[in-house]
Amino acid sequence: MKQKYNRRLFIKFIAAFMGLLFLGLWQRMVDSKSKNEIKKPVVVPLAVLTGVNFFDDFIVIKKDDQFEVLSSKCTHLGCRIDQQSQDKLMCPCHGSSYKLNGQVVTGPAIKPLPQLAYQINTDQQTLTVEL
Amino acid sequence: MIKPLHKLITKTTFGQLSLALLIICVVSGIFLVVPYNVNDAYGSISFLMLTNPAASLFRNIHFWSAQFFLLFTVIHLYDHFTRKKAIKLNMALWFRLTIGVLIIFLAMITGFILKGDADAGQAQRIFSGLVTRIPLIGEMIRQTFLGDGESLQFIYVHHIATFTIFIIIVVMEHAPTIWPRLRDFVITMTSILILSVLLMAPLHDGLSMVVKGPWYFVGFQEILHLITHPGYSLIIVLLLLFLLIMVPLSRNNGWLPKRLLLFFTLVYLFLTVIGYFFRGANWQWQWPWKSNEISAVYNPVETADWQVLGLFSKTSDTLPEVILGRNESCLICHQGMTGFSKSHNPQAVGCYSCHGGNPFSRDKEASHHGMRLIPGNLADAGQSCGTTQCHQQITSRINNGLMANLSGMISVDRFVFDEIASPDELTSVDELHHSPADEHLKNMCVTCHLGNPKRETGPITNESRGGGCLACHLNYNEADSSLSHLAIDRKNHPDYLKNHPSIDLKVGNNHCFGCHNRSGRISTNYEGWHETLLNPDELPTKHSYRIIDQTRVFTYIQDDVHHKLKMDCIDCHNSYELMGDDTRYAHQEQQVDIACADCHRNKADRTVTYAQLDQESALIAGLRYANIANRVFLTTEKRNKALINTEVRNDTMWMHGKNRDTVYVLRPPNAVCTYGKAHHEVSCNACHSAWAPSCIGCHNAYDENEPGYDMVKNLEKQGSWVEFVGEYNAGLPVLGIRKTASGQEIIPVVPGMVLTIDLASYTKDQHDSLLFKRLFAPAAPHTTAAKGRSCVSCHNNSEALGYGKGILTYVIDEDKGFWKFNSHYKNNSHDGLPEDAWVGFLDDRKGQVVSTRTDVFPFSVDQQKSILTLGACLTCHDEKSAVMVQSVVNFDSLVKTISLKCILPVW
C-alpha cells in the first residue's frame, strides 16, 4: 500500500517538474525569437510639412526646424492615433487625447506618448526612426 | 421574475441549436479558406464580395452562424442556471466549460480581427494591449498567440485550429455529442441560409472616425473607457470566470454567483446601449438624435442585397478597381467618367470616400443605399470630405467660422431689435428661435450660410446659397454638354452620368458672387456695379445696366483697381480667413486677416520660406505653383499667415494670381500716405475707397399675409417681415473712428441700421413701440481706387464728417470765421437729425448707441473741429500748395506761423 502512494506521488512530482520545464522552454523560445527579430528602423523623407504628420507607427511633428517623433501607439491600450484636432492628438478608440509634446490631456490614458529616437541624414534628406 | 428562455422554443433547446450552429460555422469556415488570403485580408475579402458570390455566401453563413452561436450559448447557460434542480457535474469538466466560454469569445474576436479592416486593426491593438497587461506571463502570451502585430498569421492559426478544437472538445465532453439532431440542423441551416442571402456580413471602410468594435464588446469598450488602468478590466474578466466556476460549488444551488452574473449581464447590456447610441467619434458623448451616425457599430441591416444570388448568373468580366487597398464596385458600372480634378478622382480617392453607399456590392439598389449624391454639404462633410485620411482638420474648424455660423449677422440684428445688450455675442445660425429678430433673420437674411445644403446637381451660380465645401470648390467643366440643358432636364441628358464635376482650388469670383452680391454688395461693388431701385421694366435702355436675379437693376460707377488688374477675391483672402482658423470671431472684420499693408509695404520684412510653411499653406502652394521649394513668401501682419501667392525675389515683392497666370509687382504705398503726422491714423480704405453704397428711409414691418420663407428649414411659410426702403445712393463714404488696442484709426462707414422697426406688427403687443435706430457700420467697400480722395472731400465735406448731404460753408464775418451747415434732407422726426446723418453738426451723440459695433464711433466734437480747421485753410489754399503739404507734415508748428490774412474758425 505504501508503495502505491509513493509511485503516484513520484509521477505527479515528475509531471509538475515537466510542466515547469515546459514553461521555461516556452519562455526561452519566445525570448530568443524576439531578441533575434530586431525591428528595422523606418526611413521617411525629410521634407515633411510643418505640423503633425502621421505615419504607421509614429508621428513626426515639425515646428520651425525642430523635429519631434512620438510613438503613435496610445498608452492606454495601443490603438493607433491617426487624428488631430485643435493641436491635440486624438485616439479614436476610448477618447484619450494628448498634447503635441506627448503629455496626456484627457484619459483614460495616463502615461504620455513615448518619444522615439531618430536620425537625420542631410545627404539623402531622410529621417530615420528607431522603433 | 426570472423566467427561463427555453420556453420560447419547443421540442428543442438552445443548447441543441448552438450545436447545429457550431457545425455550420466550422464547416463554412473550412470552405472560406479558399478565397481568403491572410496576407491581404481586407483586399481578399472585398474582392470576394465583388467577384465571387458563392464565396460571399459562405462568408455570410460563417458570420451569421457565429453570431447566433455566441448568443444562443449565452442563453443556453442562462437556461441551465434557471433550473430549480442543481446540475450534477464533474468539477474538472465544469472548469473546462468555464474556460470554454472565454475561448468562445476569443474565437469571436479573432474572427473579427481577421477581417483586416480599420476597426479590426484597432481591435487587434487593443486586444494585444490587454493581453500584455496580464501579470508575469502577459508578454509571453501575447507573443505566442498574437504575434508581433504585423501579420495576421498567428491569429489565423489560433482562430481556425486552437480555439476551434478546444470548443469542440468541451462540447463533446458535456453535450455529450458533436452531432446535432437532424431536424435541428435542417431548421438552423435553412434560417442561416435565408439570413445569409439577405444580409451581407459587414466590412468596415476605415474612413469613419468612429471605432466601436463588434456588438458583443461595445459594453466592454465602455468599461475600458471608464477605467484608466486597463489591467483592472482583466480582473473583471477573472471575476466573471470565478463566479461561473463557483455556481455548482455555492450553496443554495449557486444562488449568489448566479444573481451576480445576472446583475453583471444587465449592467453590461446597459453599457452596450450607451456605447452604441451615445458615443460618437473618439468615444465622445453625443446625444443620439443629434448624430447621423448611430450605426457606427456595424449595421448590416441595410437593404437586402441580392447579389449573392448572382451566383446563378454569369459574372461580368470587369474586375473592381483597388483604391487605397479597397476594392470598389462603383466603376464597374460607371465607366468612362471624365471631368475630375487631379486630386479628387477615382484613382486617387475612389468613389466611396466621397459618395458613401456600399462599395462591396454589385447590386444597383444595394450599392446606392446610403449614398450621398451630393457630398460636401456641412451636415455630412464629416463623413465625406472630413474623414481621417482626408480633410478632417478643415471640417472640424469650419463651423467656427462666420460663413458657417453667421454670428455677427445674427447678433447685430438682435442688438438692433433691442433683444440683446451687445452686438458682440457669439451665436450660431443653428440657434435661431422665434423672437422678432430671429424671425426677421429667418425671413430675410440667413440663407447665406455654408450649412445651407446644396440639393440639386449643377454648377454654383448667382442663385447658389451655401453648399458646404462645394460652395467654393465645385467646378463644372465648361465643355460639360449636359449643362447646356435646363436644370430639370440635366438628368435626362445622355451624358449626365459621364460628366462629373471637379473639386479643385479654382475658387473664382463666381463662387463668392451668389451670397456676396447681397447685404454689403461686396461682389458687385468690386466689379463697379451699384444697385438702384429702378424697375427693369422701366429702363429706357438695358445697355448700361446690369440686371441680376431678374429684378435688381445695377448701374456702373467704377470698379475696384484690383478688379481692373484681373485679381480674384482669393488673391487677397487666404484659406484661414475663409474656412476659419478655429477661433470664433464676433464680426467679419475680426475674422479677416489681410490688410493693404501686407502687400503694399516699403520693405520685405515678415517673410517665411517654403520649409517654414504650415501644412495647409504648403499643400495649397505646392498644388498651385511649381518650383517653390526655395521660395520666400510674405506673411500677414495680423495673424502671421503666409500669403502663398506672394514671392520675394531679388529684393522685389511679387504676387502671382491664384487662378490665372498673372504676375504683379507689389508696389509700396505712395510716400504721401505715410509721411508726416497728420494722417498716420487714417486707414488705406478711408482715402482709397472710390465710393460706397448707402441707403436711407428703411422701415420694417411684419405682414402676416405676405408669403414668406423660413431660411433655416428652407420651407415656404405664411407671414414675413417686409423691408421698405427710401433711397439707394452711391458716393464717397462717410468716415468714422474705430478704437483699437493701441489707439484709433479712421475708417469708412456706411449706414448700418438707420431704420424703424414696427415691433408690434409681429408681437401683436400694443405696448411694443416703434423702434428707431440710427446706427452706422464699419465697411470695406471693395471699391479701391489708385488715386486717393481729395483733401476737400474729407475736410470740407459734410457727408465725410457724418452730417449728411448738404451745404457746408465757411463764413467769414470781420475777422472771425464760422462753419455753417444746411442739410439737404429734412430732419427725422424721431431724433431731429437729418435723414442721412450720423451725427449732428458739431455735435456728438453721447449716451446713445451709435453703431453696430462697440468700437466704432463718429468723430468727436473736438475731432470735427480739427478736421474743419484744416478745411478752413482749404477754402483759400490750394490742396497742392506748399502750405497744405507742410500742414500734413506738422500742422501744430505750421499753425503758429500763419499770416494775418488767415482766419481760423471760432466755435
Side-chain angles (χ1 to χ4, degrees), chain A residues 26 30 50 77 80 86 94, chain B residues 122 144 221 225 582 613:
Chain A
W26 183 9
V30 167
T50 303
L77 275 172
R80 176 170 294 164
Q86 289 177 323
H94 307 106
Chain B
Q122 299 288 40
T144 308
Q221 291 280 67
H225 165 78
D582 224 359
L613 286 179

Side-chain angles (χ1 to χ4, degrees), chain B residues 162 232 241 269 317 544 595 880:
Chain B
T162 322
Y232 294 158
L241 291 175
L269 279 172
D317 293 323
S544 50
K880 297 201 182 26

Side-chain angles (χ1 to χ4, degrees), chain B residues 615-649:
Chain B
Q615 210 153 14
E616 186 166 298
S617 304
L619 272 169
I620 299 175
L623 282 166
R624 289 200 189 277
Y625 306 114
N627 302 322
I628 52 169
N630 298 318
R631 189 179 281 194
V632 176
F633 304 87
L634 300 172
T635 61
T636 59
E637 182 171 0
K638 202 169 172 185
R639 288 201 266 276
N640 202 27
K641 289 276 188 260
L643 293 166
I644 57 124
N645 57 339
T646 58
E647 183 183 4
V648 181
R649 190 162 35 97

Side-chain angles (χ1 to χ4, degrees), chain B residues 279-293:
Chain B
R279 294 286 185 195
N282 302 93
W283 212 260
Q284 295 303 305
W285 184 270
Q286 70 179 14
W287 297 104
W289 44 88
K290 283 215 170 135
S291 130
N292 350 346
E293 260 206 87

